[in-house]
Amino acid sequence: MPIGDHPNQIPLKHNAVIWRYMDIDKYTSLLKKRALFFCRADKFSDPFEGTIPKREAEFRIEESRLRAEYLGNTFDEEVAKANIEGLIDLHKRYKRGVIINCWHINNNESDAMWRLYLKDNEGVAIQSNVQRINQAFEKAKEQIEFSKVRYLDYENSIWYHPIDYPHKGYNLLTPFFHKRMEFCHEKEYRIYHQIYDAIDNPDYWETQEHNKGKFIDVDLNILIEKIYLPPTIDNSTYQNIVSLTNEYGYDFVFEKSKLQSEPYY
């Protein structure tokens, strides 16, 4: 399936370095299945995921009023609010049908990401880049698309910005390219896929192998440039991770965390 290129997505340079931090169970699953897990947007912990900023909804109502005035029509605020409610319902359906795999944009390791995603020293951080990600999904059956995430004040901001987001038209995927400012530490890059059957059918996921999302095949040899090991890792755990990797037929380049480096004095 060809890689998608949505007109409203937020691009990232092909050589941009991205990371995925995971515990040992998720790493084992990645090796075994040769697939990344894409989670349903409506299963993320943030309730604002895939939603409309407050001012965006108000802006759409005001836009309807101005259009009515320009055309010489009577503006019905109740009808405008009903239209917004219908739009909100549609966004809720999209949250059910858009599945996402998240990465962290950073030229370097992140101590915060290690702490967030690893409960102990058993896990890894996969280093890749945007070009590798694109190439790694070229043989996937599903259409895969990508976007950098932009962070907003959901009380006081709207999506449009002349430089950061110069898209005036409304698009149902726009909410998935944005998150609240409180999550800006994630510096997120998203890989996503739309399942139209799930958007249209509220019972779709009850018939699937995984209720919370889907595994999508990926070429790990292309995807993974290096694997970094946690800063607290001991030699025994390091050997176990290398052995596990070899067991599944992979020979990746392993790097020790730079957070282990000794000071110069």
Coordinates of all heavy atoms in Angstrom, one line a residue, residues 99-153:
I99 N -6.1 4.8 14.3 CA -5.1 4.1 15.2 C -3.7 4.8 15.0 O -3.4 5.2 13.9 CB -5.1 2.6 15.0 CG1 -4.8 2.3 13.5 CG2 -6.4 2.0 15.4 CD1 -4.7 0.8 13.2
I100 N -3.0 4.8 16.1 CA -1.8 5.7 16.2 C -0.6 4.9 16.8 O -0.8 4.2 17.8 CB -2.0 7.0 16.9 CG1 -3.1 7.8 16.2 CG2 -0.8 7.8 17.0 CD1 -3.7 9.0 17.0
N101 N 0.6 5.1 16.3 CA 1.8 4.7 16.9 C 2.7 5.9 17.1 O 2.9 6.7 16.2 CB 2.5 3.6 16.0 CG 3.7 3.0 16.7 OD1 4.9 3.5 16.4 ND2 3.6 2.0 17.5
C102 N 3.2 6.1 18.4 CA 3.8 7.4 18.7 C 5.3 7.3 18.9 O 5.8 6.3 19.4 CB 3.2 7.9 20.1 SG 1.4 7.9 20.1
W103 N 6.0 8.3 18.4 CA 7.5 8.4 18.5 C 7.9 9.8 19.1 O 7.0 10.7 19.1 CB 8.1 8.2 17.1 CG 8.0 6.8 16.6 CD1 6.8 6.2 16.2 CD2 9.0 5.9 16.4 NE1 7.1 4.9 15.8 CE2 8.4 4.7 15.9 CE3 10.4 5.9 16.7 CZ2 9.1 3.5 15.6 CZ3 11.1 4.7 16.4 CH2 10.5 3.6 15.9
H104 N 9.1 9.8 19.6 CA 9.6 11.0 20.2 C 10.7 11.7 19.3 O 11.6 11.0 18.9 CB 10.2 10.6 21.6 CG 10.9 11.7 22.3 ND1 10.3 12.9 22.8 CD2 12.2 11.9 22.6 CE1 11.2 13.6 23.4 NE2 12.4 13.1 23.3
I105 N 10.5 13.0 19.0 CA 11.5 13.7 18.2 C 12.6 14.3 19.1 O 12.3 15.1 19.9 CB 10.8 14.8 17.4 CG1 9.6 14.3 16.6 CG2 11.8 15.5 16.5 CD1 8.7 15.4 16.1
N106 N 13.8 13.9 18.8 CA 14.9 14.4 19.6 C 16.2 14.0 19.0 O 16.4 12.9 18.5 CB 14.8 13.9 21.0 CG 15.5 14.8 22.0 OD1 16.5 15.4 21.7 ND2 15.0 14.8 23.2
N107 N 17.2 14.9 18.9 CA 18.5 14.6 18.4 C 19.3 13.7 19.4 O 20.2 13.0 19.0 CB 19.3 15.8 18.1 CG 18.8 16.5 16.8 OD1 18.3 15.9 15.9 ND2 19.0 17.8 16.7
N108 N 18.8 13.7 20.6 CA 19.5 13.0 21.7 C 18.6 12.2 22.5 O 17.3 12.3 22.3 CB 20.2 14.0 22.6 CG 21.1 15.0 21.9 OD1 22.1 14.6 21.4 ND2 20.8 16.2 21.9
E109 N 19.1 11.3 23.3 CA 18.3 10.6 24.3 C 17.6 11.5 25.2 O 18.0 12.7 25.4 CB 19.2 9.7 25.2 CG 19.8 8.5 24.6 CD 20.6 7.8 25.6 OE1 20.1 7.1 26.5 OE2 21.9 7.9 25.5
S110 N 16.5 11.0 25.8 CA 15.8 11.8 26.8 C 15.7 11.1 28.1 O 15.1 10.0 28.2 CB 14.4 12.1 26.2 OG 13.6 12.6 27.3
D111 N 16.3 11.6 29.1 CA 16.1 11.0 30.5 C 14.7 10.9 30.9 O 14.2 9.9 31.5 CB 16.9 11.9 31.5 CG 16.8 11.3 32.9 OD1 17.4 10.2 33.1 OD2 16.2 12.0 33.8
A112 N 13.9 12.0 30.5 CA 12.5 12.0 30.9 C 11.7 10.8 30.2 O 10.9 10.2 30.8 CB 11.8 13.3 30.5
M113 N 12.1 10.5 29.0 CA 11.4 9.4 28.3 C 11.8 8.1 28.8 O 10.9 7.2 29.0 CB 11.7 9.5 26.8 CG 11.2 10.6 26.0 SD 9.3 10.7 25.9 CE 9.0 12.1 27.0
W114 N 13.0 7.9 29.2 CA 13.4 6.7 29.9 C 12.6 6.5 31.1 O 12.0 5.4 31.4 CB 14.9 6.7 30.3 CG 15.9 6.4 29.2 CD1 16.9 7.2 28.8 CD2 16.0 5.2 28.5 NE1 17.7 6.6 27.9 CE2 17.2 5.4 27.6 CE3 15.3 4.0 28.4 CZ2 17.6 4.4 26.7 CZ3 15.7 3.0 27.5 CH2 16.8 3.2 26.7
R115 N 12.4 7.5 31.9 CA 11.7 7.4 33.2 C 10.2 7.2 33.0 O 9.5 6.5 33.7 CB 11.9 8.7 34.0 CG 13.3 8.9 34.5 CD 13.5 10.2 35.2 NE 14.9 10.5 35.5 CZ 15.5 10.2 36.6 NH1 14.8 9.5 37.5 NH2 16.8 10.5 36.8
L116 N 9.6 7.7 31.9 CA 8.2 7.6 31.6 C 7.8 6.2 31.1 O 6.8 5.7 31.5 CB 7.8 8.6 30.5 CG 7.4 10.0 31.0 CD1 7.2 10.9 29.8 CD2 6.2 10.0 31.9
Y117 N 8.7 5.6 30.3 CA 8.3 4.4 29.6 C 9.0 3.1 30.1 O 8.6 2.0 29.7 CB 8.6 4.5 28.1 CG 7.7 5.5 27.5 CD1 8.0 6.8 27.2 CD2 6.4 5.1 27.1 CE1 7.1 7.7 26.7 CE2 5.5 6.0 26.5 CZ 5.9 7.3 26.3 OH 5.0 8.2 25.7
L118 N 9.9 3.2 31.0 CA 10.5 2.0 31.6 C 10.3 2.0 33.1 O 10.7 3.0 33.8 CB 12.0 1.9 31.3 CG 12.4 1.2 30.0 CD1 12.0 1.9 28.8 CD2 13.9 0.9 30.0
K119 N 9.7 0.9 33.6 CA 9.5 0.8 35.1 C 10.8 0.4 35.8 O 11.0 0.6 36.9 CB 8.4 -0.2 35.4 CG 7.1 0.2 34.8 CD 6.0 -0.9 35.1 CE 4.7 -0.5 34.5 NZ 3.7 -1.5 34.7
D120 N 11.7 -0.3 35.0 CA 13.0 -0.8 35.6 C 14.0 -0.6 34.5 O 13.8 0.1 33.5 CB 12.9 -2.2 36.1 CG 12.3 -3.2 35.2 OD1 12.6 -3.0 33.9 OD2 11.5 -4.0 35.5
N121 N 15.1 -1.4 34.6 CA 16.2 -1.2 33.6 C 16.0 -2.2 32.4 O 16.9 -2.3 31.6 CB 17.6 -1.4 34.2 CG 17.8 -2.8 34.7 OD1 16.9 -3.6 34.8 ND2 19.0 -3.1 35.1
E122 N 14.9 -2.9 32.3 CA 14.7 -3.8 31.2 C 13.8 -3.2 30.2 O 12.6 -3.1 30.3 CB 14.0 -5.1 31.8 CG 14.9 -5.9 32.7 CD 14.4 -7.3 32.9 OE1 13.3 -7.6 32.5 OE2 15.2 -8.1 33.5
G123 N 14.5 -2.8 29.1 CA 13.8 -2.1 28.0 C 14.8 -1.6 27.0 O 16.0 -1.7 27.2
V124 N 14.3 -0.9 26.0 CA 15.2 -0.3 25.0 C 14.6 1.0 24.5 O 13.5 1.3 24.7 CB 15.4 -1.3 23.8 CG1 16.0 -2.6 24.3 CG2 14.1 -1.5 23.1
A125 N 15.5 1.8 23.8 CA 15.0 2.9 23.0 C 15.5 2.7 21.6 O 16.7 2.5 21.3 CB 15.6 4.2 23.6
I126 N 14.5 2.6 20.7 CA 14.9 2.5 19.3 C 15.1 3.8 18.7 O 14.3 4.7 18.8 CB 13.7 1.8 18.5 CG1 13.5 0.3 19.0 CG2 13.9 1.8 17.0 CD1 12.3 -0.4 18.5
Q127 N 16.3 4.0 18.0 CA 16.6 5.2 17.3 C 16.3 5.0 15.8 O 16.8 4.0 15.2 CB 18.0 5.6 17.5 CG 18.3 6.9 16.8 CD 19.8 7.2 16.8 OE1 20.5 6.7 15.9 NE2 20.3 8.0 17.7
S128 N 15.6 5.9 15.2 CA 15.3 5.8 13.7 C 15.3 7.2 13.2 O 15.8 8.1 13.8 CB 14.0 5.1 13.5 OG 13.8 4.8 12.1
N129 N 14.8 7.4 12.0 CA 14.6 8.7 11.4 C 13.4 8.7 10.5 O 12.8 7.6 10.2 CB 15.8 9.3 10.7 CG 16.3 8.4 9.6 OD1 15.5 8.1 8.7 ND2 17.6 8.1 9.5
V130 N 12.9 9.8 10.1 CA 11.7 9.9 9.3 C 11.8 9.1 8.0 O 10.8 8.4 7.6 CB 11.3 11.4 9.0 CG1 10.1 11.5 8.1 CG2 11.0 12.1 10.4
Q131 N 12.9 9.2 7.3 CA 13.1 8.5 6.1 C 13.0 7.0 6.3 O 12.3 6.3 5.5 CB 14.4 8.9 5.4 CG 14.6 8.2 4.0 CD 15.8 8.7 3.3 OE1 16.6 9.5 3.9 NE2 16.0 8.3 2.1
R132 N 13.6 6.5 7.3 CA 13.6 5.0 7.6 C 12.1 4.6 7.9 O 11.7 3.5 7.4 CB 14.4 4.7 8.8 CG 15.9 4.6 8.5 CD 16.7 4.3 9.8 NE 18.1 4.1 9.5 CZ 18.6 2.9 9.2 NH1 17.9 1.8 9.2 NH2 19.9 2.7 8.9
I133 N 11.4 5.4 8.6 CA 10.0 5.1 9.0 C 9.2 4.9 7.7 O 8.4 4.0 7.5 CB 9.4 6.2 9.9 CG1 10.0 6.1 11.3 CG2 7.9 6.1 9.9 CD1 9.3 5.1 12.2
N134 N 9.4 5.9 6.8 CA 8.6 5.8 5.5 C 8.9 4.6 4.7 O 8.0 3.9 4.3 CB 9.0 7.1 4.7 CG 8.1 8.3 5.0 OD1 7.1 8.5 4.4 ND2 8.6 9.0 6.0
Q135 N 10.2 4.2 4.6 CA 10.6 3.1 3.9 C 10.2 1.8 4.5 O 9.9 0.8 3.9 CB 12.1 3.1 3.7 CG 12.6 4.3 2.8 CD 14.1 4.4 2.7 OE1 14.8 3.8 3.5 NE2 14.6 5.2 1.8
A136 N 10.2 1.7 5.9 CA 9.9 0.5 6.6 C 8.5 0.1 6.4 O 8.2 -1.1 6.6 CB 10.2 0.7 8.1
F137 N 7.6 1.0 6.1 CA 6.2 0.6 5.9 C 5.8 0.5 4.4 O 4.6 0.3 4.1 CB 5.3 1.7 6.6 CG 5.2 1.5 8.1 CD1 5.9 2.3 8.9 CD2 4.4 0.6 8.6 CE1 5.9 2.2 10.3 CE2 4.3 0.4 10.0 CZ 5.0 1.2 10.8
E138 N 6.7 0.5 3.5 CA 6.4 0.5 2.1 C 5.6 -0.7 1.7 O 4.8 -0.7 0.7 CB 7.6 0.7 1.3 CG 8.1 2.2 1.2 CD 9.3 2.4 0.3 OE1 9.9 1.4 -0.1 OE2 9.6 3.6 0.0
K139 N 5.9 -1.9 2.3 CA 5.2 -3.1 2.0 C 4.0 -3.5 2.8 O 3.5 -4.6 2.7 CB 6.2 -4.3 2.0 CG 7.3 -4.1 0.9 CD 8.3 -5.3 1.0 CE 9.4 -5.1 -0.1 NZ 10.4 -6.2 -0.1
A140 N 3.6 -2.6 3.7 CA 2.5 -2.8 4.6 C 1.2 -2.9 3.7 O 1.1 -2.2 2.7 CB 2.4 -1.7 5.6
K141 N 0.2 -3.7 4.2 CA -1.0 -3.8 3.5 C -1.9 -2.6 3.7 O -2.7 -2.2 2.8 CB -1.8 -5.0 4.0 CG -1.1 -6.4 3.7 CD -1.8 -7.5 4.4 CE -1.0 -8.8 4.2 NZ -1.7 -10.0 4.9
E142 N -1.7 -1.9 4.8 CA -2.5 -0.7 5.1 C -1.9 0.5 4.6 O -0.7 0.6 4.5 CB -2.7 -0.6 6.7 CG -3.3 -1.8 7.3 CD -2.4 -3.0 7.6 OE1 -1.2 -2.9 7.2 OE2 -2.8 -4.0 8.2
Q143 N -2.7 1.6 4.4 CA -2.1 2.9 4.0 C -1.7 3.6 5.3 O -2.5 3.8 6.2 CB -3.1 3.8 3.3 CG -2.6 5.1 3.0 CD -3.3 5.9 2.0 OE1 -3.6 5.4 0.9 NE2 -3.7 7.2 2.3
I144 N -0.4 3.9 5.4 CA 0.2 4.5 6.5 C 0.4 6.0 6.3 O 0.9 6.4 5.2 CB 1.5 3.8 6.9 CG1 1.3 2.3 7.1 CG2 2.0 4.4 8.2 CD1 0.3 1.9 8.1
E145 N 0.1 6.8 7.2 CA 0.4 8.3 7.1 C 1.1 8.8 8.3 O 1.1 8.1 9.4 CB -0.9 9.0 6.9 CG -1.6 8.6 5.6 CD -2.9 9.3 5.4 OE1 -3.9 8.9 6.0 OE2 -2.9 10.3 4.6
F146 N 1.7 10.0 8.2 CA 2.6 10.5 9.3 C 2.3 11.9 9.5 O 2.0 12.7 8.6 CB 4.1 10.3 8.9 CG 4.4 8.9 8.3 CD1 4.3 8.6 7.0 CD2 4.9 8.0 9.2 CE1 4.6 7.4 6.5 CE2 5.2 6.7 8.7 CZ 5.1 6.4 7.4
S147 N 2.6 12.4 10.8 CA 2.5 13.8 11.1 C 3.2 14.1 12.4 O 3.2 13.3 13.3 CB 1.1 14.3 11.2 OG 1.0 15.7 11.5
K148 N 3.9 15.2 12.4 CA 4.4 15.8 13.6 C 3.2 16.3 14.4 O 2.2 16.7 13.8 CB 5.4 17.0 13.3 CG 6.0 17.7 14.5 CD 6.9 18.8 14.0 CE 7.5 19.6 15.1 NZ 8.3 20.7 14.7
V149 N 3.3 16.4 15.7 CA 2.2 16.9 16.6 C 2.5 18.3 17.0 O 3.7 18.7 17.3 CB 2.0 16.0 17.8 CG1 1.1 16.7 18.8 CG2 1.5 14.6 17.4
R150 N 1.5 19.2 16.9 CA 1.6 20.6 17.3 C 0.9 20.7 18.6 O -0.2 20.2 18.8 CB 1.0 21.4 16.2 CG 1.0 22.9 16.5 CD 0.7 23.7 15.2 NE 0.3 25.1 15.5 CZ -0.9 25.6 15.3 NH1 -1.9 24.9 14.9 NH2 -1.1 26.9 15.6
Y151 N 1.4 21.5 19.5 CA 0.8 21.7 20.8 C 0.2 23.0 21.0 O 0.7 24.1 20.6 CB 1.9 21.4 21.9 CG 2.5 20.1 21.8 CD1 3.6 19.8 21.0 CD2 1.9 19.0 22.4 CE1 4.1 18.5 20.9 CE2 2.4 17.7 22.3 CZ 3.5 17.5 21.5 OH 4.0 16.2 21.4
L152 N -1.1 23.0 21.6 CA -1.9 24.2 21.7 C -2.5 24.4 23.1 O -2.6 23.5 23.8 CB -3.1 24.1 20.7 CG -2.9 24.2 19.2 CD1 -4.2 24.1 18.5 CD2 -2.2 25.5 18.8
D153 N -2.8 25.7 23.4 CA -3.7 26.0 24.5 C -5.1 25.7 24.1 O -5.7 26.5 23.3 CB -3.5 27.5 24.9 CG -4.4 27.9 26.0 OD1 -5.3 27.2 26.4 OD2 -4.2 29.1 26.5

